[in-house]
Amino acid sequence: MSPPSAIEAASNGDSNKPTNIAPHEPGLSTAEAKVKMPAFPQPPKFDDPYKERTYLKGRLAAAFRIFGKYGFDEGVAGHITLRDPVDPTTFWVNPFGVAFSMIKASDLILVNEDGQIIDGGPVRLLNSAAYMIHSAIHQARSDVNAAAHSHSIYGRSFCSLGRKLDTITQDSCAFHNDHVLYESFNGIVLAEEEGKNIARCLGNKKAALLQNHGLLTVGQTIEETVFWFVSLEKCCHAQLMADAAAAGRGGSTIKIGEEEAQFTYKTVGTPKAGYFSAKPLFDVIYKETNGEYLE
């Protein structure tokens, strides 16, 4: 007599039998479901918006150091913005022409909805494209406190294909049904309408592939936003390699099923997951720079 199947063992309550049933499948026994993901740490809470501003400017400066470390810079291109907690109609951004790897909290500049620099460091130059894109997004999405865009090598390569990501890896599940393709390129974004078009296309998603341009990610926190960008860049890299390898063998990549992708998204694609996943990136930058960016 053959041993019971995994599903039969689970349904019979035989918790000592091994099973290959996924955690979201019907019939999972109580004993097998005991091991659960711990609760993710949460962003710190502040009673004073000015103290929160100081803290967040340090995190934004660290974000630029992370982008610099990963090579997400191309001359003076690229920008990350952070909604100001004191005046949420304004946002902090990098001064135009200052290297990501050199940015400190004291270098950041504060910009209002009219594109005027109203506070910040000694270099008060604003990237017009940064203002046009980010201002439109911050105004359209009250839930977005940070947005990042840069011309990373694999992101801009993938964006030349005019297609969205396939869900072919666990990591890409974080972007399953949660990213868009902006199918327009009209040169450098210097027009207000172009920024609004990007914001409209983004809708309520966390990321956009800007055709012939590069990646854009947004989030409730700067940490989440940075992690989505780093992860999206790597997902683009992975798919470029996988597609090339599959084509070389005369086949195609294996896609993750809809049910499995949706289930995995609930673990790896949430704002809380993005925030926590960024922790090692920020920890390493602090260690490597000895916190210099906080000055």
Side-chain angles (χ1 to χ4, degrees):
M1 182 177 178
S2 61
S5 67
I7 294 179
E8 290 172 338
S11 61
N12 291 333
D14 189 349
S15 59
N16 294 320
K17 299 288 186 178
T19 178
N20 61 358
I21 301 176
H24 64 297
E25 289 179 340
L28 182 67
S29 69
T30 302
E32 289 176 286
K34 282 185 177 179
V35 179
K36 297 182 178 179
M37 290 290 288
F40 292 121
Q42 301 293 307
K45 302 291 185 182
F46 294 87
D47 294 327
D48 184 345
Y50 287 94
K51 290 181 179 180
E52 183 176 9
R53 170 191 278 178
T54 299
Y55 172 79
L56 291 178
K57 286 178 65 180
R59 300 301 274 180
L60 180 56
F64 285 111
R65 297 298 182 104
I66 292 170
F67 269 38
K69 179 181 175 68
Y70 277 86
F72 297 161
D73 48 5
E74 184 75 14
V76 297
H79 21 85
I80 312 174
T81 56
L82 178 72
R83 191 187 298 274
D84 181 52
V86 177
D87 181 358
T89 66
T90 65
F91 59 82
W92 294 91
V93 66
N94 49 307
F96 200 19
V98 177
F100 288 174
S101 298
M102 296 173 59
I103 287 180
K104 300 178 181 179
S106 57
D107 292 320
L108 301 171
I109 55 177
L110 185 63
V111 181
N112 66 17
E113 291 183 345
D114 297 321
Q116 298 173 331
I117 300 173
I118 56 177
D119 198 359
V123 179
R124 297 199 172 188
L125 294 177
L126 174 63
N127 183 329
S128 296
Y131 166 71
M132 293 301 178
I133 297 173
H134 292 252
S135 178
I137 291 172
H138 283 295
Q139 290 184 52
R141 294 273 301 273
S142 60
D143 62 311
V144 167
N145 288 313
H149 166 65
S150 189
H151 301 170
S152 52
I153 186 63
Y154 297 110
R156 72 191 191 205
S157 298
F158 191 85
C159 286
S160 71
L161 303 179
R163 57 179 294 193
K164 292 170 63 177
L165 277 176
D166 292 328
T167 308
I168 58 173
T169 64
Q170 176 175 303
D171 304 286
S172 65
C173 288
F175 302 98
H176 185 71
N177 294 331
D178 204 7
H179 74 288
V180 301
L181 171 64
Y182 181 67
E183 300 180 86
S184 176
F185 179 74
N186 297 309
I188 298 174
V189 183
L190 299 178
E192 182 179 358
E193 189 60 29
E194 181 76 352
K196 290 181 178 179
N197 287 339
I198 292 174
R200 277 193 289 267
C201 181
L202 178 64
N204 63 353
K205 308 302 185 184
K206 68 157 63 89
L209 305 177
L210 308 181
Q211 190 168 286
N212 304 114
H213 192 170
L215 307 180
L216 171 73
T217 59
V218 301
Q220 296 177 12
T221 63
I222 186 64
E223 293 87 355
E224 176 195 354
T225 303
V226 166
F227 181 75
W228 296 146
F229 194 99
V230 172
S231 183
L232 185 57
E233 167 75 357
K234 291 182 177 180
C235 285
C236 289
H237 189 182
Q239 184 164 340
L240 288 168
M241 292 193 298
D243 282 347
R249 295 169 61 90
S252 60
T253 57
I254 297 174
K255 314 303 188 289
I256 295 174
E258 182 66 22
E259 181 184 357
E260 292 78 11
Q262 289 184 18
F263 173 77
T264 306
Y265 174 89
K266 294 176 182 177
T267 299
V268 302
T270 65
K272 291 180 180 179
Y275 172 82
F276 184 49
S277 295
K279 181 181 182 299
L281 301 175
F282 283 78
D283 289 346
V284 168
I285 284 297
Y286 182 83
K287 178 72 172 180
E288 290 181 346
T289 65
N290 197 32
E292 177 203 14
Y293 58 84
L294 295 171
E295 298 174 5

